[in-house]
Amino acid sequence: MKEKLEALKVEAVAKLQEVNDPQALNDLRVKYLGKKGELTEVLRGMGGLSAEERPVIGQVANEVRGAIEAIITEKQELFQQQETQQRLQAEKVDVTLPGRSLPQGGIHPLSRVVQEIEDIFIGMGYQVAEGPEVETDYFNFEALNLPKNHPARDMQDSFYLTDDLLMRTQTSPVQVRTMQAKNGEAPVKIICPGKVFRRDDDDATHSFQFHQIEGLVIGDNIRMSDLKGTLQQFVKEMFGPATGIRLRPSFFPFTEPSVEVDVSCFKCGGEGCRLCKHTGWLEILGAGMVHPNVLRMGGYDPEKYTGFAFGMGVERIAMLKYGIDDIRYFYTNDMGFVKQFKGI
Ligand code: PHE
């Protein structure tokens, strides 16, 4: 029996040593050590041994089992290591490869200019107010001191939807809406960005739809010098610290006195160039002291409060600032145009 066990050991060790895959290893484990395995088979015969022989053979059998188990464990560990190695190899990531870049959008130049202007005025304590694009005749004209048949209505050729409703021609109706909502409470300090609509034939400098930003301040003792100082500060932040302003008398029905405001040409510094048509100045906005009739219709006593207002075209400012020579670029979604403003 002892010889049988020794022979079994020699055979098993030889076979196990040659094994080189986990499946075959497992098959051999079953073949030798399984319930119906060869070692178990031999041990079953121990019942017929004498009491002296039994412990001797038992010891040999244990040795044989120990030897076979040891080599199986060794092989299992080896296979495990090999598998881990293969997985590491297969799943290797080259962290030095360039990444896949995601397409990145940019902010449209008009939105950018609106945000810039808003930031400047918010920094001066203004709040942003908005109003509807479809307006009543009352808010767009009448409450702004432009009664029906007033000749100044011709300055803003309008798209009427009904006798009483139109696409707003200016952001000034937001002034009236804000004043009425405030119930005569002062101070008022707002800017109102938004789309406006006029019956213009589209060309390089005109569009039937464009954007304005309106400003309105009402309070105790608000004077023309406050308007001037505010606009001076605004243009310095918007166009550079060397920029100056010039006020020219003008007319708007809702302001008295009214002015047209020019900035010194930020391209040539006022010397004269193509941008400023050799005048040294660029016209950028309309402004004035709020007309007493407008204050009254907005619910403010003109004897108690005064105010100033201004309005500017966003496209015009963007065109001047970025050297854009055709307003239609803003609306045609030409990627080549829009992309130039990425990351500015
Ligand atoms: N609403 C005027 C326009 O569209 C601009 C303006 C606003 C002028 C406020 C004076 C005061 O022409």
Side-chain angles (χ1 to χ4, degrees):
M1 200 163 183
K2 193 175 167 195
E3 288 78 54
K4 247 184 169 173
L5 283 169
E6 293 293 357
L8 187 68
K9 178 177 159 190
V10 172
E11 184 202 305
V13 168
K15 284 207 167 146
L16 283 166
Q17 233 133 27
E18 275 168 29
V19 146
N20 48 22
D21 70 277
Q23 184 56 48
L25 180 68
N26 195 47
D27 290 348
L28 286 179
R29 187 184 57 80
V30 174
K31 178 171 153 70
Y32 294 111
L33 304 181
K35 260 190 205 149
K36 291 179 185 157
E38 289 179 26
L39 182 65
T40 324
E41 203 62 32
V42 177
L43 294 181
R44 218 164 265 151
M46 276 177 72
L49 296 175
S50 67
E52 296 86 59
E53 275 178 317
R54 212 175 284 155
V56 181
I57 295 299
Q59 200 182 354
V60 176
N62 277 340
E63 261 177 40
V64 172
R65 171 185 290 276
I68 295 176
E69 277 176 349
I71 194 164
I72 288 177
T73 314
E74 195 183 299
K75 282 274 177 181
Q76 274 172 341
E77 277 170 11
L78 179 74
F79 291 152
Q80 200 121 50
Q81 269 177 20
Q82 282 175 349
E83 198 201 317
T84 312
Q85 212 54 40
Q86 273 173 5
R87 280 245 306 272
L88 285 177
Q89 202 64 31
E91 293 172 11
K92 195 164 88 174
V93 175
D94 184 352
V95 293
T96 65
L97 284 174
R100 252 177 256 144
S101 61
L102 297 170
Q104 199 188 8
I107 297 174
H108 192 278
L110 287 180
S111 308
R112 187 182 293 279
V113 167
V114 170
Q115 282 172 11
E116 236 176 287
I117 297 173
E118 282 180 358
D119 281 350
I120 295 171
F121 282 102
I122 287 169
M124 293 196 253
Y126 286 65
Q127 285 181 329
V128 178
E130 285 183 349
E133 288 167 12
V134 174
E135 244 327 340
T136 60
D137 186 274
Y138 171 78
F139 281 116
N140 195 78
F141 288 130
E142 222 151 310
L144 287 162
N145 201 31
L146 270 145
K148 288 220 160 56
N149 303 318
H150 191 289
R153 285 195 180 205
D154 294 346
M155 284 162 72
Q156 300 179 3
D157 218 348
S158 322
F159 288 114
Y160 273 90
L161 304 173
T162 66
D163 278 353
D164 193 46
L165 281 179
L166 72 159
M167 302 306 292
R168 67 176 175 196
T169 58
Q170 50 188 350
T171 41
S172 305
V174 187
Q175 286 189 27
V176 185
R177 287 181 174 277
T178 308
M179 282 191 270
Q180 292 190 357
K182 288 272 246 179
N183 269 323
E185 198 187 299
V188 177
K189 229 174 152 185
I190 52 157
I191 50 162
C192 327
K195 274 192 202 124
V196 300
F197 307 82
R198 292 187 194 178
R199 284 178 54 174
D200 258 330
D201 288 329
D202 289 6
D203 62 22
T205 52
H206 294 85
S207 168
F208 69 94
Q209 174 210 287
F210 58 103
H211 298 76
Q212 283 189 333
I213 294 190
E214 188 91 6
L216 173 71
V217 174
I218 296 173
D220 292 321
N221 205 20
I222 299 290
R223 293 165 299 188
M224 190 89 179
S225 53
D226 297 315
L227 169 64
K228 211 175 155 184
T230 301
L231 294 177
Q232 176 65 69
Q233 182 59 28
F234 163 66
V235 301
K236 277 186 195 302
E237 288 190 44
M238 191 71 195
F239 301 109
T243 319
I245 55 169
R246 173 175 86 170
L247 272 52
R248 288 180 287 114
S250 185
F251 171 79
F252 298 103
F254 27 84
T255 46
E256 180 60 35
S258 301
V259 289
E260 208 76 64
V261 181
D262 299 340
V263 288
S264 58
C265 181
F266 43 82
K267 192 157 186 202
C268 63
E271 305 247 309
C273 69
R274 261 185 54 197
L275 184 68
C276 59
K277 299 200 182 83
H278 301 280
T279 62
W281 296 96
L282 299 162
E283 185 189 320
I284 58 154
L285 54 83
M289 300 307 290
V290 182
H291 195 289
N293 287 348
V294 175
L295 283 172
R296 216 172 283 121
M297 278 186 278
Y300 288 82
D301 178 359
E303 298 298 327
K304 201 162 159 216
Y305 294 116
T306 49
F308 66 73
F310 55 87
M312 59 189 119
V314 177
E315 278 80 352
R316 175 151 174 84
I317 291 187
M319 286 169 84
L320 292 173
K321 185 158 175 165
Y322 296 120
I324 299 163
D325 57 12
D326 194 320
I327 196 169
R328 288 167 291 202
Y329 280 126
F330 291 123
Y331 316 117
T332 42
N333 294 332
D334 174 344
M335 289 305 280
F337 170 75
V338 178
K339 274 187 180 163
Q340 296 176 68
F341 298 91
K342 218 166 91 175
I344 286 185

